[in-house]
Amino acid sequence: CRFCQTGWMRGAFSAATREELLAGAVRFKAAMVNADLNLLASDACSISGLESILEVLCPLFRRVSVKSLSVASLVRHPKSFRLLRKLAKHEFTFGVEGVSARLRAYLGKPATAGDLIRSAGSLADNGLRQLKLFFIVTGLEEERDLSELESLLKSIHAKVPACRIIASFMPLFHAPFTPLQFAPFPSRASIGEGLRRLTSLAGRYGMQVRESITYDE
């Protein structure tokens, strides 16, 4: 995604092998008597052999969790939902970012509304309890974008009616060393107006609204 500095500065992806992960987990448990193990990845669904890795790790710990799984990978690899059932994972965050297809393309996060809705429905079938939708306010939002967002929120709410939904918003941050670092910075007025309208829209569908960071921050 174009707004996040992490991916652009980190360089090429790498992942430990099954043997390396098992050896490391055994060391951690021996040294610190860990009860829980949390595996971190930019996109866990894209890691080859993740299910077999978890088969050797799960018996060692009370709880094994995995972060994070991209919506695109969940769509490409529907078998991942079987893995999520095995992990008893019931809380998810969707990094939707752009409130419309146009703004998701601007931010370099090309998840489609259909993919988001289908993924939410599949997660609901597996006992989803909480879904957090993370959005970025760019200051470029127009009426057509708001209409598209309303349709998305309405559809997701219908897919997960018994689930707690959190809508989290933050102003766009132009991080250095990213493609958006020299983009025009949105004004306080445009961000404020965008936040007001977007949070009102989310509240209309019974979602808990959060502002993850303020304009000044």
Side-chain angles (χ1 to χ4, degrees), residues 5-207:
Q5 190 181 59
T6 305
W8 296 94
M9 296 190 70
R10 179 183 46 216
F13 292 112
S14 64
T17 65
R18 170 177 163 164
E19 291 72 24
E20 290 168 336
L21 285 167
L22 177 59
V26 170
R27 285 198 308 273
F28 289 146
K29 186 163 186 178
M32 297 182 284
V33 200
N34 299 61
D36 296 349
L37 179 67
N38 187 16
L39 300 175
L40 301 177
S42 296
D43 178 13
C45 283
S46 66
I47 295 174
S48 178
L50 178 61
E51 193 160 359
S52 65
I53 289 170
L54 291 170
E55 283 175 357
V56 300
L57 294 178
C58 285
L60 298 174
F61 298 90
R62 179 186 63 192
R63 179 174 179 271
V64 177
S65 60
V66 175
K67 297 180 181 178
S68 71
L69 307 108
S70 79
V71 172
S73 285
L74 286 173
V75 171
R76 286 197 304 270
H77 308 293
K79 288 183 179 179
S80 298
F81 289 105
R82 182 180 65 191
L83 177 65
L84 300 180
R85 283 195 296 272
K86 190 177 295 185
L87 292 173
K89 190 171 175 64
H90 302 296
E91 296 184 3
F92 284 84
T93 297
F94 281 1
V96 187
E97 293 172 16
V99 302
S100 67
R102 179 180 76 91
L103 293 175
R104 286 193 290 278
Y106 172 70
L107 294 169
K109 198 69 176 279
T112 69
D115 288 344
L116 293 165
I117 294 164
R118 282 190 295 275
S119 295
S122 296
L123 293 173
D125 293 339
N126 293 318
L128 181 68
R129 289 196 295 263
Q130 177 177 295
L131 179 62
K132 181 178 176 183
L133 305 173
F134 172 72
F135 296 100
I136 294 174
V137 186
T138 64
L140 303 173
E141 288 76 17
E142 301 174 359
E143 287 297 333
R144 54 177 172 159
D145 303 306
L146 296 177
S147 296
E148 200 171 312
L149 175 63
E150 181 168 17
S151 176
L152 175 64
L153 296 180
K154 184 177 181 180
S155 297
I156 288 180
H157 184 266
K159 283 287 185 181
V160 293
C163 176
R164 177 190 188 204
I165 305 179
I166 299 170
S168 176
F169 298 91
M170 70 163 280
L172 176 60
F173 165 60
H174 295 303
F177 310 109
T178 68
L180 290 178
Q181 64 176 325
F182 298 120
F185 202 78
S187 67
R188 181 187 295 272
S190 65
I191 291 293
E193 176 63 12
L195 271 173
R196 184 187 66 76
R197 299 182 70 182
L198 292 170
T199 54
S200 173
L201 198 57
R204 193 179 304 168
Y205 292 95
M207 300 180 183

